Amino acid sequence: MSRPICARIDFTALRHNLNVVRNLAPQSRIWAVIKANGYGHGLLPVARALSGVEGFAVSSLEEGLCLREGGVRTAVLVLEGVFSREEVPQARQADLELVVHSEWVLEHLEAVKKITDWPRLWLKIDTGMNRLGFPPSRVQSIYPRLCSLSREPPGLMTHLAMADRPGDPMTRIQMDHFDEATRGLPGHRSLANSAALLNFPRAAADWIRPGLMLFGVSPLESVPAETLGLEPVMTLSTALMAVKPVKPGDAVGYGATWQAQRNGWIGIAAAGYGDGYPYHAPQGAPVRVGEGICPLIGRVSMDMIAIDLGPDPQPVGAPVILWGKGLPVEQIARCSGTIPYELLCGVAQRVRHEWRGFPVTEPQADHAASHCTLPL
Ligand SMILES: *Cc1c(COP(=O)(O)O)cnc(C)c1O
């Protein structure tokens, strides 16, 4: 047996979630957001399983090229644009669509004089999040510069900061700023991430940009994924590699932060922060062992965690689920003081991925390829 930790990726669930997304905005096209190695699920396998979407959104040129090298022909949108002039011809050659979010990105594009035939560029507008984008007041002057670089009218996009809070006025204010800034300009519009798709139907526009939801995770704190009809795509599992009895007073792990109160059994599972399990998972965090839920005890090590098995032992090799089917990653994130996004895309490279439920050719080779050009 090799080290048993494994991220099982269920493509049937992924396709199911895509349908849920489609039904929420049937009139919109979909940029499936698969940045950060497909939120940790494997860039290329995920792209192949999501065939049928109108496009894929990634963060960098490297990720875009990875898709092209893997044979993906669908539209690809690079959310962070280019970082240098050198990237401009590469991006054009690979037929990528770029987000132009700042003056200096536009200057890089304009500096490469011979490339004025971009299929489409996207003008990003900062409507209040104060991350990327031009201020609304500059849209009218930036827009024609993009027009002269591309064949199609520029796409118009913004990002919403508070879309997970339906009651907060900020999203409506952002959408109003967007409408005002883009009034009368031709071009496709795109505003909605997963949370906006659920909370603000008005944000759907021409293209939606769902990420997290596709992976079966709820973007809303108060609504479980199950209620939204979503199914978890990743199940991070491992096995018990040691089982031992403890008696009152016995301490477990670094810092001896947990001590047994009574006679019982503990299990050591092969998973730690070196695999992407959060170091800040507290004592009592739920871990699925066999058919039951047991509490995490002691500190998380790099390669191991300890689990309180209670009065009865479990066999070495008993299956352990850290998150996924039967144990939502949202729950682990919440108790560890983080967000599910971080846990999913933080699954370490050393964790074996297994893809199931959808025909994908040579998934193991794909996995290697899915990391091929990601910067280290
Ligand atoms: C990551 C990202 C998304 C997707 O967000 P989710 O919350 O995962 O749906 C959409 N748009 C932009 C610009 C992003 O960076």
Side-chain angles (χ1 to χ4, degrees):
M1 183 176 90
S2 55
R3 193 160 179 271
I5 189 161
C6 172
R8 259 178 292 126
I9 310 298
D10 177 352
F11 285 139
T12 307
L14 186 63
R15 309 267 317 169
H16 166 85
N17 299 333
L18 174 60
N19 269 333
V20 173
V21 165
R22 271 234 191 268
N23 290 333
L24 283 169
Q27 314 297 331
S28 304
R29 290 173 232 213
I30 300 178
W31 286 121
V33 182
I34 56 171
K35 62 200 183 196
N37 196 29
Y39 287 45
H41 295 67
L43 184 68
L44 266 177
V46 163
R48 290 190 184 147
L50 289 176
S51 64
V53 295
E54 288 77 14
F56 295 107
V58 294
S59 47
S60 62
L61 174 72
E62 284 90 344
E63 290 175 337
L65 294 180
C66 216
L67 288 175
R68 291 296 185 234
E69 283 161 26
V72 174
R73 296 275 150 264
T74 321
V76 171
L77 176 65
V78 181
L79 293 169
E80 298 192 348
V82 289
F83 284 86
S84 69
R85 195 167 301 180
E86 288 68 50
E87 289 189 334
V88 173
Q90 286 175 282
R92 178 65 196 94
Q93 175 106 36
D95 225 8
L96 306 178
E97 298 185 28
L98 301 180
V99 172
V100 180
H101 58 75
S102 302
E103 181 67 37
W104 64 270
V105 176
L106 184 51
E107 282 167 9
H108 284 325
L109 294 176
E110 289 172 336
V112 183
K113 295 254 175 329
K114 60 181 188 298
I115 302 179
T116 54
D117 63 340
W118 288 92
R120 182 166 48 205
L121 296 167
W122 288 77
L123 170 51
K124 183 149 189 185
I125 306 166
D126 181 359
T127 53
M129 183 162 176
N130 282 305
R131 199 172 62 174
L132 293 182
F134 292 93
S137 60
R138 296 207 52 213
V139 170
Q140 296 295 333
S141 64
I142 298 295
Y143 187 88
R145 289 168 67 189
L146 292 197
C147 286
S148 62
L149 290 172
S150 56
R151 300 193 297 254
E152 266 193 55
L156 298 158
M157 64 184 284
T158 193
H159 199 49
L160 303 168
M162 294 282 273
D164 56 336
R165 306 276 174 82
D168 193 283
M170 181 163 182
T171 301
R172 285 194 177 76
I173 295 170
Q174 282 197 271
M175 291 192 291
D176 290 345
H177 283 329
F178 182 79
D179 288 347
E180 229 167 274
T182 60
R183 187 160 298 132
L185 298 176
H188 289 180
R189 269 81 168 148
S190 177
L191 301 86
N193 60 1
S194 298
L197 190 56
L198 291 164
N199 285 336
F200 298 93
R202 176 187 151 199
D206 300 304
W207 290 81
I208 53 173
R209 302 193 307 270
L212 193 68
M213 269 185 83
L214 294 173
F215 301 102
V217 178
S218 174
L220 310 176
E221 207 158 306
S222 54
V223 188
E226 208 177 354
T227 310
L228 300 171
L230 301 172
E231 293 171 10
V233 175
M234 179 195 290
T235 296
L236 186 64
S237 66
T238 186
L240 293 183
M241 58 186 294
V243 175
K244 53 192 64 185
V246 287
K247 54 184 190 314
D250 284 352
V252 171
Y254 285 118
T257 57
W258 185 84
Q259 275 129 33
Q261 305 290 314
R262 53 187 73 81
N263 290 317
W265 293 84
I266 63 158
I268 305 298
Y273 60 80
D275 301 297
Y277 191 81
Y279 176 74
H280 291 289
Q283 314 225 35
V287 183
R288 185 166 279 275
V289 183
E291 295 303 306
I293 296 281
C294 298
L296 182 80
I297 55 178
R299 280 193 199 146
V300 173
S301 299
M302 187 182 292
D303 306 327
M304 284 170 269
I305 55 173
I307 302 161
D308 182 0
L309 300 176
D312 303 310
Q314 297 260 0
V316 164
V320 170
I321 289 180
L322 303 161
W323 65 66
K325 300 227 186 299
L327 184 55
V329 66
E330 294 92 315
Q331 211 178 318
I332 307 304
R334 200 170 306 128
C335 74
S336 307
T338 181
I339 51 175
Y341 299 81
E342 186 183 36
L343 297 186
L344 292 178
C345 67
V347 170
Q349 212 160 330
R350 74 173 180 182
V351 173
R352 190 162 38 90
H353 282 57
E354 272 177 26
W355 292 278
R356 295 190 183 171
F358 191 76
V360 177
T361 48
E362 295 175 45
Q364 301 312 320
D366 281 352
H367 181 48
S370 76
H371 287 106
C372 62
T373 58
L374 300 186
L376 293 173

